[in-house]
Amino acid sequence: MASNGRPRLLLTIRSRAALAELTPDLTLLRAACDRYGLLGCYAYSLPDRHGRAAARMFAPSIGVPEDIANANSTACLAAHAAGFGAYRLAVDMGDHLGSPSTITATVHRDRTGHRIRVGGQAAIVRRGMR
């Protein structure tokens, strides 16, 4: 469990391949999240030695079956990983949905604790009509 607002479940998956194969029962996941007051489930592969990981965020309770990029949950993962000495992460998301993204997270220690900076890059791929 992790939170930077509303709690969510962080779920370690043994590999990127196993993560890609996940097919959660969204009805059951929604019921479990509602019961325990969770935002959703952030499933992730363990970061490699360079801090690269993959993740999928399922949040059916808020109407998001799967998110293509979730910075808040990546920040939670970064806080968790810092406890194991990993202070930089690059998390790939959205591949399964055809919208690949990478979220970066850097953890800095200061006298008040850990500060986490998340980011990435964005590109306009389509403009709507006014």
Side-chain angles (χ1 to χ4, degrees):
M1 300 286 288
S3 179
N4 55 7
R6 189 166 171 195
R8 75 243 21 237
L9 177 66
L10 298 183
L11 180 64
T12 307
I13 304 297
R14 71 180 179 274
S15 68
R16 279 179 175 255
L19 180 68
E21 293 174 4
L22 288 181
T23 54
D25 182 321
L26 296 177
T27 301
L28 288 175
L29 180 58
R30 180 182 183 150
C33 289
D34 291 349
R35 179 175 183 187
Y36 297 105
L38 299 175
L39 176 70
C41 178
Y42 184 82
Y44 66 95
S45 66
L46 289 172
D48 66 16
R49 64 186 179 95
H50 302 290
R52 195 91 191 192
R56 295 176 67 190
M57 176 64 179
F58 305 102
S61 291
I62 61 167
V64 181
E66 184 171 350
D67 198 350
I68 61 170
N70 193 286
N72 288 330
S73 295
T74 301
C76 289
L77 176 60
H80 176 66
F84 298 97
Y87 294 97
R88 291 181 178 275
L89 293 176
V91 179
D92 299 322
M93 295 185 75
D95 295 346
H96 188 73
L97 299 172
S99 295
S101 65
T102 300
I103 301 166
T104 58
T106 307
V107 180
H108 300 279
R109 281 185 159 174
D110 64 21
R111 58 186 161 80
T112 62
H114 289 90
R115 295 196 182 266
I116 300 166
R117 176 172 285 185
V118 294
Q121 294 181 351
I124 297 172
V125 295
R126 179 179 23 189
R127 293 184 188 260
M129 298 192 53
R130 291 182 181 220

